[in-house]
Amino acid sequence: MTMQDAHTPVSGSSSDNGGGERQIGWHKGYLTGSRPDIRVPVRRVHLTNGRDVTLYDTSGPYTDPQVETDVRRGLAPLRENWIIARGDTEEYPGRAPRPEDDGLKHTAPRGGLRNLDAVFPGRPRLPRRGRDGQAVTQLAYAKRGEITAEMEYVALREGVAPEVVREEIAAGRAVLPANVNHPEIEPMIIGKRFLVKVNANIGNSAVTSSIEEEVEKMTWATRWGADTVMDLSTGRNIHTTREWVLRNSPVPIGTVPLYQALEKVDGKAEELTWEIYKDTVIEQAEQGVDYMTVHAGVLLRYVPLTARRKTGIVSRGGSIMAAWCLAHHQENFLYTNFEELCEILRAYDITYSLGDGLRPGSIADANDEAQFAELKTLGELNRIAKSHDVQTMIEGPGHVPMHKIKENVDLQQEVCEEAPFYTLGPLTTDVAPAYDHITSGIGAAMIAWWGTAMLCYVTPKEHLGLPDRDDVKTGVITYKIAAHAADLAKGHPGAQEWDDALSDARFEFRWEDQFNLALDPDTARSFHDQTLPAEPAKTAHFCSMCGPKFCSMKISQDIRREHGASAEEVEAGMAEKSKEFAAAGNRVYLPLAD
Amino acid sequence: MTMQDAHTPVSGSSSDNGGGERQIGWHKGYLTGSRPDIRVPVRRVHLTNGRDVTLYDTSGPYTDPQVETDVRRGLAPLRENWIIARGDTEEYPGRAPRPEDDGLKHTAPRGGLRNLDAVFPGRPRLPRRGRDGQAVTQLAYAKRGEITAEMEYVALREGVAPEVVREEIAAGRAVLPANVNHPEIEPMIIGKRFLVKVNANIGNSAVTSSIEEEVEKMTWATRWGADTVMDLSTGRNIHTTREWVLRNSPVPIGTVPLYQALEKVDGKAEELTWEIYKDTVIEQAEQGVDYMTVHAGVLLRYVPLTARRKTGIVSRGGSIMAAWCLAHHQENFLYTNFEELCEILRAYDITYSLGDGLRPGSIADANDEAQFAELKTLGELNRIAKSHDVQTMIEGPGHVPMHKIKENVDLQQEVCEEAPFYTLGPLTTDVAPAYDHITSGIGAAMIAWWGTAMLCYVTPKEHLGLPDRDDVKTGVITYKIAAHAADLAKGHPGAQEWDDALSDARFEFRWEDQFNLALDPDTARSFHDQTLPAEPAKTAHFCSMCGPKFCSMKISQDIRREHGASAEEVEAGMAEKSKEFAAAGNRVYLPLAD
């Protein structure tokens, strides 16, 4: 078995784009499943020692030189034929777009909003939904014992048998977010038996940023490894921004429909109604949103539990629903209408991401009564959603000191019947604003090791401002580290092959291989070049930390070379070898050219 | 009890420099002990709500505007009177400096080496050592029941009773590194009952960097929170660089004497002798090095255990001693002469940092036979060192996946009788060169939670190049986060007060207080200003993430304000309050000016 095979066990054949001469570096490749239209993208790293390493790839068609992409046309609808072939959906005219979808109800357009450039030009399709409201969800198929093309796709991608994927989805332990109106995605799976996933948040806000920036942030985030992207836009142009993001996204897109619903009532929480919310959900369902955060667990009776907290309610959705509950002194309309919402979501295969509106916003508030009361309600809602065949994951905190993290996963897994946990960090201390990717990366790695299936990234700007391009990259890379560290700790098959390949390259001074295998080859290479810029340094048998004379790896290699690979041989022949070593001039450091 | 008192319980009085009007921001303050010359520096943060928060301060006199510092004169010898007053040390002429101390044996001086600028000008003192070779160590005093000025100092600094400090040192569970020839330091303690400490490595190498850069890196590292600094210089000017660093360092300085000894034999490991090594130790002892890494656990019979490793031996000291052992086929001379070395170290109160020369250099090699065999030998050496009254800590890895970290601490604590553990990270994955501050920050936080007393930082340049000023800062801040996250998880008294103060400031939109309380106020402020640069934004009751309409903390405050602070009251009066809320115009968002 080659390293490539070991890293991503595949049941199908594999083919590379490009062909021709083997070039050192990395390029896009594909694993092909049982039929030609199941082609799973991978990142192939060609090493200087003749080996290849195959890595998971989230970057979409943008990194395939053979695919021409055009953000104004959108990506090809990869899944369209699969969806149509199942014969259980139908096209329909859909909801007519309204000015308030883009926040234009009470404000005059200005600065070219909704001009021809802003409206997405490339949408020919009608929306689609389950015929007669039937469940067209991966959960419904899995329960019936069907292995869909999407399931086969993710099985190939994860290196497991398709039946494992089906089983995990059927049991509600994994979700495969894939709205029938988002055929552009490359299917992926979220569940504790699979690789830990990372979500990146993007979204304009009332204060700053534009459509173009958000689309670019999405492709940039997936370029560095984001498995899903949430569009949390809150300003104007919400509908239009989302359309551009969806049509160009190779990964599932999540939203919080409540944000847009609130825009439609001019930010007055008490004016929200189930009807406005439901209409917003349908609007987004028809666009193709793959999963939705729903704060249905913020119950009226839980709100007072937050009164004595240090930082009250820090979830936007949670605070909006809390304000609504108090204003009306009525139960949360998302909770009271939850079954009707299930009926909508199942007709599009939208996955629930049950929001933790009462998550702690500080170390002091972690694991408190409000948080865990809501979690138990999310467990109740999870059972209801499953009974309607709606895929469901559960959101988690937030801010939690290390010693209180495990209790979060354990309780969630218990009360939510092992539904995938999707946590925001958690931050393990509050004292380092500007470094919350790190305070939370620590907690994220730990909570993922203990069973969290997807991590929502945190950028350096958390608590301070909106992330720019660099922040998005830093956040994604930090969280890929946390996710991969967890994959290693969980003993995920194949995870360690990547580390081993990089460690081998390091020990053998194959600098180019080290860079190409790195999570961020660009930065690794540039850091190396800052100290030793010359080209020969990239093949030198030492590095800038120790210089040529003190290099420990160099000495280790000499030891190995002098003593052979077998520990037994070394032990047996040590006295003899010691003499040879002296006879050979006691060369601790071999010439650089060797 | 005010927050200030709660954070740093003090047995003495406290006084601030500066006096006069109270200014928002932070400045240097001091806690005074039982006598006026015990003055422990602290960082006082003056909040806009009239409160003060007192934080641990490692930055030395450089941040005290009332102290004039001059790097050519060095810092004031804070501990000199304490050392003299004990009457157990004597001055002596000391070892004469030799050209080879600076690596000039076989090479002609060039480029102004050892000119008047390079040689440290401000050293009037003779070296000092224990009279008649007696132990002048904090361990010896502690065992005799004496509470030294240094112990009282660290007790005040840590907010514990002096007797706790004495007990922990006497039991070998903590060390207080303080060479009698380094009177400039502000004493600090390393042990699991105390705050987790952070070490920053500096040092020029054969490839690059200069004396000035290294001194500046030292003050820069302590400015951001480094508790100790290791000078790992390996190029020329080793002696001179160390002199400048020691004379200007407010924190204990550690070294690896083997590096300099190897320079003296032109990098030929097989030419090393006990005599050359011993001479180097005395040279460094007289300069004032506070703790020394000694690779005495790399035994001849362990070397073959590394032959089948993925990355062999990655410790420089470990590989040098392994090469020596193999070349001579003799036992490690540091091991065979260990008791004599103890006699030297105890005469200066140099603390052992028993090096883990066989630590794993990759995920694949973690917790293997070679590593744990050496650890058991370190346990044996720890007992010998203690019997000679030499303070001792134990170095640990390295590269360890998350699920194998705890075993490291548990085994070390067992075989080393709870001697302080001092680990390098560990890195939890190998796939992210350029981000190894993060891959290792994750492991560092966890291992510190489980009992590691001091963390050796890793910078973004690890494996790639030499850290510059920015890398040093990033490494220190990342490790202060890990250390503080561990303090929180261990329930260290007072640790959470800092988080609480920052969380309060966040919830109450006291932006300036958030910045001033942050581990890195400069970056926090600049990140905020990138999105909302105007001055009013720093008092705004919302932030750039959500904008003014959606702010969850704002809504939370309204809920609290509407419903009072008591959960019982809220529950009881909720129906009534709901009416009032409506009557007040259903204001979810209060005016910004309120």
Side-chain angles (χ1 to χ4, degrees):
Chain A
M1 194 193 236
T2 65
M3 179 163 300
Q4 169 192 339
D5 295 330
H7 186 71
T8 307
V10 296
S11 56
S13 63
S14 81
S15 68
D16 286 2
N17 273 345
E21 207 176 327
R22 184 176 186 279
Q23 294 199 310
I24 303 309
W26 55 273
H27 73 243
K28 192 96 175 179
Y30 292 92
L31 309 174
T32 309
S34 66
R35 35 194 260 207
D37 65 344
I38 296 187
R39 292 176 78 231
V40 174
V42 292
R43 179 184 176 106
R44 284 263 158 67
V45 186
H46 295 317
L47 305 182
T48 56
N49 67 356
R51 292 193 174 188
D52 287 350
V53 176
T54 300
L55 302 175
Y56 196 101
D57 178 27
T58 58
S59 62
Y62 302 103
T63 51
D64 186 341
Q66 308 218 318
V67 177
E68 206 179 302
T69 57
D70 175 356
V71 290
R72 298 173 57 83
R73 216 178 57 222
L75 298 176
L78 189 65
R79 296 166 56 233
E80 193 165 48
N81 292 337
W82 307 346
I83 294 163
I84 293 171
R86 284 194 281 264
D88 55 359
T89 54
E90 62 186 358
E91 287 182 334
Y92 69 107
R95 175 184 170 284
R98 297 170 203 161
E100 62 261 38
D101 298 349
D102 266 340
L104 300 175
K105 195 173 176 183
H106 301 292
T107 47
R110 53 169 193 205
L113 290 171
R114 282 186 87 76
N115 62 16
L116 283 177
D117 274 348
V119 173
F120 183 74
R123 191 174 213 278
R125 286 193 303 271
L126 284 177
R128 184 176 283 282
R129 67 182 170 199
R131 256 185 239 285
D132 313 317
Q134 67 183 288
V136 295
T137 68
Q138 298 289 325
L139 175 55
Y141 306 139
K143 279 185 181 173
R144 292 203 297 262
E146 289 171 27
I147 292 173
T148 61
E150 287 88 345
M151 292 178 205
E152 186 185 335
Y153 189 103
V154 302
L156 205 52
R157 208 166 185 184
E158 298 274 343
V160 300
E163 178 56 20
V164 171
V165 171
R166 191 203 61 77
E167 268 176 22
E168 292 297 301
I169 294 173
R173 287 191 298 264
V175 295
L176 195 164
N179 185 325
V180 294
N181 292 312
H182 194 196
E184 296 92 346
I185 58 163
E186 297 170 345
M188 51 78 70
I189 193 162
I190 303 164
K192 64 181 172 180
R193 270 204 63 174
F194 306 101
L195 291 164
V196 174
K197 303 304 186 297
V198 171
N199 172 72
N201 290 335
I202 59 168
N204 60 359
S205 86
V207 177
T208 176
S209 88
S210 73
I211 291 177
E212 292 73 15
E213 277 175 322
E214 297 316 312
V215 174
E216 209 242 324
K217 271 186 208 167
M218 179 274 293
T219 56
W220 183 242
T222 57
R223 162 72 187 80
W224 293 108
D227 295 284
T228 72
V229 165
M230 289 195 81
D231 176 6
L232 302 183
S233 295
T234 59
R236 235 174 280 159
N237 283 346
I238 290 188
H239 182 99
T240 302
T241 302
R242 191 168 49 234
E243 187 70 26
W244 281 78
V245 168
L246 279 161
R247 299 289 72 81
N248 286 292
S249 174
V251 302
I253 297 295
T255 62
V256 186
L258 192 60
Y259 295 173
Q260 188 182 10
L262 189 64
E263 292 284 348
K264 293 180 183 175
V265 293
D266 274 350
K268 293 174 189 138
E270 71 278 7
E271 290 187 10
L272 280 168
T273 63
W274 164 241
E275 286 65 33
I276 289 168
Y277 183 85
K278 183 170 123 177
D279 177 66
T280 306
V281 166
I282 291 169
E283 171 191 346
Q284 299 194 7
E286 293 176 350
Q287 286 187 293
V289 169
D290 300 288
Y291 64 93
M292 293 182 180
T293 296
V294 178
H295 297 92
V298 179
L299 301 191
L300 178 61
R301 66 180 180 276
Y302 299 158
V303 178
L305 299 178
T306 67
R308 280 182 293 190
R309 277 182 159 183
K310 190 157 282 291
T311 47
I313 301 174
V314 297
S315 148
R316 280 188 267 170
S319 62
I320 293 164
M321 290 317 302
W324 187 92
C325 289
L326 291 183
H328 296 273
H329 200 230
Q330 284 177 11
E331 193 50 278
N332 182 333
F333 63 76
L334 298 173
Y335 180 81
T336 54
N337 293 284
F338 192 73
E339 300 213 58
E340 187 178 346
L341 189 56
C342 290
E343 294 301 305
I344 299 168
L345 265 53
R346 67 186 234 144
Y348 299 92
D349 198 5
I350 295 167
T351 297
Y352 270 124
S353 185
L354 294 177
D356 55 337
L358 303 182
R359 68 170 175 267
S362 56
I363 292 297
D365 294 342
N367 295 20
D368 74 351
E369 195 185 351
Q371 184 196 339
F372 285 160
E374 180 189 36
L375 179 55
K376 280 163 201 162
T377 298
L378 298 187
E380 175 197 338
L381 296 170
N382 175 57
R383 280 191 299 276
I384 296 170
K386 271 205 287 193
S387 74
H388 288 269
D389 288 342
V390 181
Q391 303 190 81
T392 305
M393 55 186 173
I394 312 291
E395 296 186 7
H399 294 239
V400 186
M402 284 193 286
H403 64 301
K404 292 187 177 176
I405 290 176
K406 192 160 186 302
E407 185 184 4
N408 275 276
V409 202
D410 291 347
L411 186 62
Q412 183 274 337
Q413 288 288 292
E414 183 197 325
V415 303
C416 300
E417 300 175 336
E418 301 181 82
F421 204 22
Y422 167 31
T423 62
L424 177 65
L427 283 74
T428 54
T429 170
D430 298 332
V431 303
Y435 298 86
D436 280 331
H437 58 306
I438 297 176
T439 64
S440 69
I442 294 167
M446 295 171 73
I447 206 163
W449 169 27
W450 288 323
T452 287
M454 184 157 78
L455 302 167
C456 182
Y457 87 166
V458 171
T459 78
K461 291 276 168 62
E462 184 78 14
H463 298 120
L464 296 169
L466 279 182
D468 61 20
R469 189 180 154 94
D470 288 344
D471 298 317
V472 166
K473 177 177 170 181
T474 301
V476 171
I477 297 269
T478 302
Y479 272 68
K480 292 301 275 188
I481 289 170
H484 183 70
D487 289 337
L488 282 176
K490 289 163 72 177
H492 190 280
Q496 198 177 316
E497 254 80 14
W498 186 6
D499 294 70
D500 288 352
L502 200 142
S503 297
D504 282 335
R506 185 170 282 160
F507 189 66
E508 292 165 10
F509 299 104
R510 289 184 274 113
W511 288 98
E512 283 296 335
D513 291 348
Q514 272 196 70
F515 303 148
N516 289 325
L517 283 164
L519 253 184
D520 177 0
D522 304 351
T523 305
R525 187 176 278 109
S526 93
F527 279 7
H528 177 266
D529 290 359
Q530 279 172 33
T531 315
L532 287 176
E535 199 52 39
K538 295 206 192 63
T539 53
H541 281 202
F542 62 93
C543 63
S544 58
M545 283 83 76
C546 313
K549 284 202 298 185
F550 271 24
C551 181
S552 59
M553 292 220 178
K554 192 87 196 59
I555 298 174
S556 282
Q557 285 191 4
D558 297 349
I559 292 170
R560 185 172 298 187
R561 212 166 300 178
E562 291 295 329
H563 293 280
S566 151
E568 289 74 19
E569 282 169 22
V570 173
E571 222 148 5
M574 189 174 280
E576 183 59 29
K577 292 282 182 190
S578 178
K579 278 184 220 154
E580 284 172 24
F581 188 72
N586 281 344
R587 284 182 313 155
V588 180
Y589 317 103
L590 294 182
L592 289 185
D594 82 330
Chain B
M1 194 193 237
T2 66
M3 178 163 302
Q4 170 193 338
D5 295 330
H7 185 71
T8 307
V10 296
S11 56
S13 64
S14 83
S15 68
D16 286 1
N17 272 344
E21 208 177 326
R22 184 177 185 280
Q23 294 198 310
I24 302 310
W26 56 272
H27 72 244
K28 193 97 173 178
Y30 292 92
L31 309 174
T32 308
S34 64
R35 33 194 262 206
D37 65 344
I38 296 185
R39 291 176 77 231
V40 174
V42 291
R43 178 185 177 104
R44 285 261 158 69
V45 186
H46 295 316
L47 306 182
T48 56
N49 66 356
R51 291 194 174 187
D52 288 351
V53 176
T54 300
L55 301 175
Y56 196 100
D57 179 26
T58 59
S59 63
Y62 303 103
T63 49
D64 186 341
Q66 307 218 318
V67 176
E68 206 179 302
T69 57
D70 174 355
V71 289
R72 299 173 56 83
R73 217 176 58 221
L75 298 177
L78 189 66
R79 296 166 56 234
E80 193 166 48
N81 291 337
W82 307 345
I83 294 163
I84 293 172
R86 284 194 281 264
D88 54 0
T89 54
E90 61 185 0
E91 286 184 333
Y92 69 108
R95 176 185 170 284
R98 296 168 204 162
E100 62 261 36
D101 298 350
D102 267 340
L104 300 176
K105 196 174 176 184
H106 301 294
T107 48
R110 53 170 192 202
L113 289 172
R114 280 188 88 77
N115 62 17
L116 283 177
D117 274 349
V119 173
F120 184 74
R123 190 173 215 277
R125 285 192 305 271
L126 285 176
R128 182 176 285 281
R129 67 184 170 198
R131 255 184 237 288
D132 313 317
Q134 67 184 290
V136 296
T137 68
Q138 298 290 324
L139 174 55
Y141 307 140
K143 279 184 179 173
R144 291 203 297 262
E146 289 171 27
I147 291 174
T148 61
E150 286 88 346
M151 293 179 206
E152 185 185 336
Y153 189 104
V154 301
L156 205 52
R157 208 167 185 184
E158 297 273 344
V160 300
E163 177 57 20
V164 171
V165 171
R166 191 203 61 75
E167 268 175 24
E168 292 297 300
I169 294 173
R173 285 190 300 264
V175 295
L176 194 164
N179 185 326
V180 294
N181 293 312
H182 194 195
E184 297 91 346
I185 58 163
E186 297 169 345
M188 52 78 70
I189 193 162
I190 303 164
K192 64 181 173 180
R193 269 202 63 173
F194 307 102
L195 290 164
V196 174
K197 302 304 187 295
V198 171
N199 172 72
N201 290 335
I202 59 169
N204 60 358
S205 87
V207 177
T208 176
S209 88
S210 72
I211 292 177
E212 292 73 14
E213 277 174 321
E214 298 315 311
V215 174
E216 210 242 323
K217 272 186 206 166
M218 179 274 294
T219 55
W220 182 242
T222 57
R223 161 73 187 78
W224 293 107
D227 295 285
T228 72
V229 166
M230 289 195 80
D231 177 5
L232 303 183
S233 294
T234 59
R236 236 174 280 159
N237 283 346
I238 290 189
H239 182 100
T240 303
T241 302
R242 191 169 48 235
E243 187 69 28
W244 282 77
V245 168
L246 278 162
R247 300 288 73 81
N248 287 292
S249 173
V251 302
I253 297 296
T255 62
V256 185
L258 193 60
Y259 294 173
Q260 188 181 11
L262 190 65
E263 291 284 349
K264 292 180 183 176
V265 293
D266 274 349
K268 295 175 188 136
E270 70 279 7
E271 290 187 13
L272 280 168
T273 63
W274 164 242
E275 285 66 34
I276 289 168
Y277 183 86
K278 182 170 123 176
D279 178 65
T280 306
V281 166
I282 291 169
E283 172 191 345
Q284 299 194 6
E286 293 176 351
Q287 285 187 292
V289 169
D290 300 287
Y291 66 92
M292 294 182 179
T293 295
V294 178
H295 297 93
V298 180
L299 300 191
L300 179 59
R301 65 180 180 276
Y302 299 158
V303 178
L305 300 178
T306 66
R308 281 183 292 190
R309 275 182 162 185
K310 190 158 282 292
T311 48
I313 300 174
V314 297
S315 148
R316 278 188 268 171
S319 63
I320 293 163
M321 289 317 302
W324 187 92
C325 290
L326 291 183
H328 295 273
H329 199 230
Q330 284 175 11
E331 194 49 279
N332 182 333
F333 63 76
L334 298 172
Y335 181 81
T336 54
N337 294 284
F338 192 74
E339 299 213 57
E340 188 178 345
L341 190 54
C342 290
E343 294 302 304
I344 299 168
L345 266 53
R346 66 186 233 145
Y348 300 91
D349 198 4
I350 295 167
T351 298
Y352 269 123
S353 185
L354 294 178
D356 56 337
L358 303 182
R359 68 170 175 267
S362 56
I363 291 298
D365 294 342
N367 296 20
D368 73 351
E369 196 185 347
Q371 184 197 339
F372 285 161
E374 182 190 35
L375 179 56
K376 280 161 201 161
T377 298
L378 299 186
E380 176 198 335
L381 296 170
N382 174 57
R383 281 191 299 277
I384 296 170
K386 269 204 288 192
S387 74
H388 288 269
D389 288 344
V390 181
Q391 303 190 83
T392 305
M393 54 186 173
I394 312 291
E395 295 186 8
H399 294 239
V400 186
M402 283 193 286
H403 63 300
K404 293 187 176 176
I405 290 176
K406 192 160 187 300
E407 186 184 2
N408 275 277
V409 202
D410 291 347
L411 186 61
Q412 183 274 338
Q413 288 288 292
E414 182 197 326
V415 303
C416 300
E417 299 175 333
E418 300 180 83
F421 203 22
Y422 167 31
T423 62
L424 178 65
L427 283 74
T428 53
T429 170
D430 298 333
V431 302
Y435 298 85
D436 279 331
H437 59 305
I438 297 176
T439 65
S440 69
I442 293 166
M446 293 171 74
I447 206 164
W449 169 28
W450 288 323
T452 287
M454 183 156 78
L455 302 168
C456 182
Y457 87 167
V458 171
T459 77
K461 290 276 168 62
E462 185 78 13
H463 298 119
L464 296 169
L466 280 182
D468 62 18
R469 189 182 153 93
D470 287 344
D471 298 317
V472 167
K473 176 177 170 182
T474 302
V476 171
I477 297 268
T478 302
Y479 272 68
K480 291 301 275 189
I481 289 170
H484 183 71
D487 290 336
L488 281 176
K490 290 164 72 177
H492 190 282
Q496 197 178 317
E497 253 81 16
W498 187 6
D499 294 70
D500 288 352
L502 200 142
S503 297
D504 281 336
R506 185 169 282 159
F507 190 66
E508 292 166 11
F509 299 103
R510 287 184 274 112
W511 287 98
E512 282 297 335
D513 291 348
Q514 272 195 71
F515 303 148
N516 290 325
L517 284 165
L519 253 183
D520 178 0
D522 304 351
T523 306
R525 187 176 277 109
S526 93
F527 279 6
H528 177 267
D529 290 358
Q530 279 172 33
T531 316
L532 287 176
E535 199 53 39
K538 295 207 192 62
T539 51
H541 280 204
F542 63 92
C543 62
S544 58
M545 284 82 76
C546 312
K549 284 202 299 186
F550 270 25
C551 180
S552 60
M553 291 219 180
K554 192 87 196 58
I555 298 173
S556 281
Q557 286 191 4
D558 297 349
I559 292 169
R560 186 173 295 185
R561 210 166 302 178
E562 293 294 329
H563 294 280
S566 151
E568 289 75 18
E569 283 169 20
V570 173
E571 222 147 6
M574 188 174 283
E576 182 60 29
K577 292 282 180 188
S578 178
K579 279 185 220 155
E580 285 172 23
F581 188 72
N586 283 343
R587 282 182 313 155
V588 180
Y589 318 104
L590 295 180
L592 290 184
D594 82 332

